[in-house]
Amino acid sequence: MILGIGTDLANIERIERTLQRFGDRFRNRVFTETEQRKAERRADTPGTYAKRWAAKEACSKALGTGLRMGIAWKDMAVSNLHTGQPVMEVTGWAKDRLEAMTPPGFEAIIHVTLTDDHPWAQAFVLIEARPRA
């Protein structure tokens, strides 16, 4: 069963200007160390950050809150499997919210997809509940 869906569209150039203006202050407030390492290794650093920004926004929408009610940017983190597939991990308040919206006897799975076509980065998040085996 679907518990929540969310999508977001981010402007890569806006994220790039924000990185130039606020630098580490912005990076450290919004992105985990793992996300920062990934982005800084990529040729398109602003695009990588923009996709992760969009994923966090989309995840917060799928959780049914947007970025309010105590959710923090770093409570949602995007990493990649060895295949390159993006995955979303939630901690803190986002994890508490996910657990609260998951029916008893089910486990929640967060699906995330990312794409970009300069100057746009887009993310889509779907939260699924599957019966526990």
Side-chain angles (χ1 to χ4, degrees):
M1 101 180 50
I2 295 174
L3 298 179
I5 59 172
T7 188
D8 192 66
L9 185 66
N11 185 288
I12 295 168
E13 293 168 356
R14 182 175 70 98
I15 297 296
E16 184 172 28
R17 287 190 303 272
T18 302
L19 287 164
Q20 290 168 351
R21 183 171 178 197
F22 297 104
D24 285 343
R25 193 168 121 207
F26 172 67
R27 275 188 286 274
N28 293 333
R29 181 174 157 245
V30 176
F31 302 101
T32 65
E33 288 181 22
T34 301
E35 290 172 314
Q36 290 180 46
R37 279 193 305 273
K38 171 87 173 179
E40 296 300 326
R41 286 193 314 258
R42 302 296 298 262
D44 183 15
T45 299
T48 303
Y49 279 121
K51 285 186 280 190
R52 277 146 180 76
W53 170 280
K56 292 167 185 271
E57 286 273 7
C59 185
S60 71
K61 293 170 186 175
L63 289 168
T65 64
L67 287 163
R68 57 183 176 91
M69 296 176 58
I71 198 166
W73 288 102
K74 287 183 169 182
D75 285 349
M76 302 164 289
V78 179
S79 61
N80 297 84
L81 300 177
H82 70 282
T83 60
Q85 176 184 347
V87 293
M88 176 71 69
E89 179 184 352
V90 292
T91 58
W93 188 91
K95 182 177 180 182
D96 294 344
R97 171 70 179 149
L98 181 63
E99 290 171 356
M101 62 191 284
T102 304
F106 285 77
E107 64 179 331
I109 293 98
I110 302 174
H111 303 276
V112 61
T113 186
L114 308 172
T115 191
D116 65 295
D117 187 6
H118 196 86
W120 301 106
Q122 184 177 28
F124 183 82
V125 171
L126 182 137
I127 302 175
E128 172 191 13
R130 291 185 189 161
R132 291 194 185 275

